[in-house]
Amino acid sequence: MYSTTTRVASKAFASKPFTSALAVSFYEIPSGIRRPTHLQTLRASCLIVSQRGVQSKRQFSSTPRSSLEEYFPPPTDSPHIKRTEPAWHHPVYTEKDMKAIPVAHREPQTKADYVANAIMRTLRWGTDLCTGYKHDEAIAQGTEKDTKTPAVSKPYGMSERKWMVRFIFLESIAGVPGMVAASLRHLQSLRRMKRDNGWIETLLEEAYNERMHLLTFMKMAEPGWFMRFMVLGAQGVVYNAFFISYLLSPRTCHRFVGYLEEEAVLTYTRAIADIDAGKLPKWEKLQAPEIAITYWNMPEGHRLMKDLLLYIRADEAKHREVNHTLGNLKQKEDPNPFVSTYKDPSQPHPSKGIEHIKPVGWDRQEVM
């Protein structure tokens, strides 16, 4: 997948010891070079700078260089299988619809909404702390005009490596809620011996989509031991906490995920703003990996890193809409409006696409 003429970003992004181990190696692929079948690049070592200013080499991955041929190698013992198609094909997004995705927030209206929003804010603070995230507000607000000063030289400047650390950590957790909710609703359907009315499929598809985000970023950077340890701990906490919470109040859990996806949309919007402001020069001409081009069916001429982030932001906006909508419905009775057929399809209604996306979700009276 990668050319031998790779370039590696190897500066540590923080002076704190617990964050320095999150450093990420980037493999930049020249746009004019054809991608070979197998990985041909060598592993790079990240230089970790301690608070004392002493440099030490730390491998970004524990995988031996001799064993690294492709990060997601195809099966070698299935000669009769040519290709395995994905269970869910991604809907087609237009550039106009993706660029129109807004940053939005649904104001809490019930006690459950306030609880969900408070938990989300607490988790956001913890995630920002762990990933070293502090964004330049001038860029976030669109008032930053200086495109010559490197991002890392400005207060709270986010570099390509810092963004990738955040993306990988967030996406490794984002696929948990959908899978937990789908499994619990599946068991509930079996116990009650009743249909689920289409919720399970949408929740599984959401978890699958979040995992595809992670696999895409893993084609661009491979996490080290500290990142893997953080993901392991975070997954254990999030899975069990969400499992118990969903048993107690599914509506509150969907509202929580809706608020979480609001923050995801904000995160990717700020990353795109950084690219537009010239703060991430290594990403300006960086090509999206082949797995992303195939999954999103990215057209020719729209396969750069910014285009990839536009697709992912649109996905997160869709999850935001879906979960806020599900949080407005009767959990055991109402059908899933995103897979339903409507009497008047000419009217705007929930769907799998983003052409009629509603940032704060659809109210029950609008769809039922």
Side-chain angles (χ1 to χ4, degrees):
M1 288 296 298
Y2 300 103
S3 161
T4 54
T5 58
T6 57
R7 189 172 66 184
V8 179
S10 60
K11 292 183 180 179
F13 72 83
S15 59
K16 297 182 180 179
F18 82 98
T19 54
S20 61
L22 292 175
V24 177
S25 300
F26 293 101
Y27 303 94
E28 296 190 6
I29 308 165
S31 57
I33 297 180
R34 184 177 181 181
R35 302 163 183 246
T37 305
H38 300 289
L39 181 64
Q40 297 178 342
T41 185
L42 296 176
R43 172 95 37 213
S45 298
C46 293
L47 294 179
I48 308 301
V49 184
S50 67
Q51 287 181 324
R52 297 180 180 179
V54 180
Q55 291 183 339
S56 61
K57 290 186 178 181
R58 189 186 298 265
Q59 288 290 343
F60 182 70
S61 169
S62 58
T63 307
R65 294 185 182 183
S66 59
S67 302
L68 186 65
E69 293 184 354
E70 186 172 344
Y71 196 74
F72 306 118
T76 57
D77 56 348
S78 53
H80 300 295
I81 302 297
K82 179 180 179 181
R83 178 183 176 88
T84 302
E85 295 292 339
W88 290 284
H89 293 277
H90 196 278
V92 177
Y93 293 163
T94 66
E95 182 179 8
K96 178 182 178 181
D97 289 338
M98 289 191 295
K99 289 185 175 181
I101 294 295
V103 173
H105 175 60
R106 185 184 189 278
E107 292 297 332
Q109 300 175 9
T110 65
K111 291 182 179 180
D113 291 354
Y114 281 103
V115 170
N117 190 50
I119 295 174
M120 185 279 299
R121 293 295 178 189
T122 302
L123 291 179
R124 170 67 192 253
W125 174 83
T127 303
D128 290 351
L129 180 65
C130 291
T131 59
Y133 175 82
K134 285 187 177 181
H135 196 261
D136 188 341
E137 290 298 325
I139 298 178
Q141 297 173 6
T143 59
E144 176 63 62
K145 300 300 183 182
D146 177 19
T147 60
K148 297 181 180 180
T149 305
V152 292
S153 66
K154 294 179 68 66
Y156 310 138
M158 293 291 289
S159 64
E160 293 88 349
R161 182 177 60 261
K162 289 183 182 181
W163 277 120
M164 190 60 69
V165 166
R166 184 170 181 82
F167 293 161
I168 291 178
F169 184 76
L170 291 179
E171 297 297 350
S172 66
I173 307 301
V176 173
M179 182 60 67
V180 173
S183 63
L184 286 175
R185 295 192 69 91
H186 172 72
L187 295 176
Q188 182 186 65
S189 177
L190 297 178
R191 289 194 308 270
R192 299 174 65 216
M193 298 183 183
K194 293 183 178 180
R195 292 195 57 183
D196 184 69
N197 293 323
W199 289 48
I200 295 174
E201 292 87 343
T202 293
L203 294 171
L204 286 175
E205 188 173 6
E206 176 182 314
Y208 176 83
N209 177 255
E210 297 286 11
R211 188 176 66 91
M212 288 302 298
H213 295 175
L214 176 63
L215 296 183
T216 297
F217 290 132
M218 293 289 286
K219 278 291 188 179
M220 307 172 72
E222 186 181 350
W225 63 268
F226 190 74
M227 170 68 82
R228 293 176 185 274
F229 178 77
M230 287 181 61
V231 169
L232 178 65
Q235 272 193 355
V237 172
V238 172
Y239 186 97
N240 289 284
F242 199 83
F243 182 90
I244 296 173
S245 300
Y246 204 87
L247 288 174
L248 298 175
S249 179
R251 185 191 302 271
T252 304
C253 288
H254 285 298
R255 186 70 69 216
F256 164 77
V257 176
Y259 286 134
L260 200 65
E261 298 296 355
E262 290 179 0
E263 297 299 317
V265 172
L266 177 62
T267 292
Y268 286 109
T269 298
R270 288 181 171 180
I272 293 170
D274 274 5
I275 296 177
D276 290 337
K279 302 300 180 180
L280 305 175
K282 297 183 180 66
W283 282 1
E284 290 180 358
K285 296 183 179 181
L286 180 63
Q287 293 287 321
E290 191 64 33
I291 187 175
I293 295 174
T294 302
Y295 177 64
W296 280 283
N297 195 23
M298 301 173 71
E300 289 282 353
H302 297 276
R303 296 178 177 180
L304 297 178
M305 185 63 179
K306 179 182 175 180
D307 300 310
L308 173 61
L309 295 184
L310 285 172
Y311 276 100
I312 294 178
R313 183 182 67 170
D315 286 344
E316 305 295 2
K318 190 63 187 179
H319 302 328
R320 175 184 64 185
E321 176 197 33
V322 168
N323 281 278
H324 275 320
T325 301
L326 296 182
N328 294 334
L329 305 181
K330 293 182 179 180
Q331 303 297 297
K332 294 183 179 181
E333 302 174 12
D334 290 340
N336 178 4
F338 293 93
V339 294
S340 299
T341 301
Y342 292 83
K343 293 183 178 179
D344 186 2
S346 63
Q347 296 296 321
H349 58 81
S351 67
K352 289 189 175 183
I354 60 173
E355 57 274 7
H356 300 302
I357 196 167
K358 209 165 188 180
V360 296
W362 298 77
D363 291 332
R364 186 175 185 275
Q365 57 268 26
E366 293 180 292
V367 294
M368 294 296 147

